[in-house]
Amino acid sequence: QVQLVESGGGSVQAGGSLRLSCTTNGYSHATGCMGWFRQAPGKEREGVAAIFRFGDTTYADSVKGRFTISRENARDTLYLEMNSLKPEDSAIYYCAATLTGSCTSPLWQSAYDYWGQGTQVTVSS
């Protein structure tokens, strides 16, 4: 059974930084794409960043230059380094993984098969 568990969320002031982690069980990071999504109250879940099997990455325009996705295969862990945080970054952040290596729309929810339970990020002004 595949499990994804996020951690590292919290409350910070605008301009601050946080690093989210997503630890996986029963899933090889060499399998496919992994991504980070977020959902703010009253809004749809949106893709933030994704990393492909061989390490290429892609980001939503709203976070480019501020967020960095990475993974450490030896620890079965996915990371999201978030810098220069803004109040509009406040949301529940989810990690996700694909069942296969196919990942044609990595910032769309429909591309992913496995999801974590989410971790709250709150940025105050």
Side-chain angles (χ1 to χ4, degrees):
Q1 183 177 0
V2 174
Q3 291 182 316
L4 284 67
V5 181
E6 303 94 336
S7 62
S11 297
V12 295
Q13 290 191 328
S17 299
L18 282 173
R19 187 176 79 159
L20 305 183
S21 299
C22 172
T23 302
T24 62
N25 288 313
Y27 182 82
S28 168
H29 284 219
T31 299
C33 296
M34 297 192 72
W36 287 98
F37 288 74
R38 67 186 181 187
Q39 188 167 19
K43 295 189 177 181
E44 292 189 358
R45 191 172 298 188
E46 63 174 352
V48 174
I51 186 165
F52 294 85
R53 285 180 67 186
F54 300 110
D56 291 345
T57 58
T58 188
Y59 297 91
D61 288 343
S62 59
V63 305
K64 278 181 183 177
R66 300 188 298 122
F67 290 12
T68 303
I69 187 171
S70 63
R71 65 180 181 218
E72 189 175 359
N73 291 349
R75 294 179 178 267
D76 291 333
T77 303
L78 179 74
Y79 300 102
L80 185 68
E81 185 76 34
M82 306 187 294
N83 298 312
S84 302
L85 282 161
K86 305 175 182 180
E88 51 264 42
D89 294 318
S90 297
I92 298 175
Y93 282 71
Y94 300 88
C95 68
T98 62
L99 178 62
T100 68
S102 175
C103 193
T104 56
S105 301
L107 295 182
W108 286 81
Q109 295 185 62
S110 58
Y112 294 87
D113 303 286
Y114 306 111
W115 292 86
Q117 83 290 347
T119 186
Q120 177 72 49
V121 171
T122 303
V123 184
S124 58
S125 58

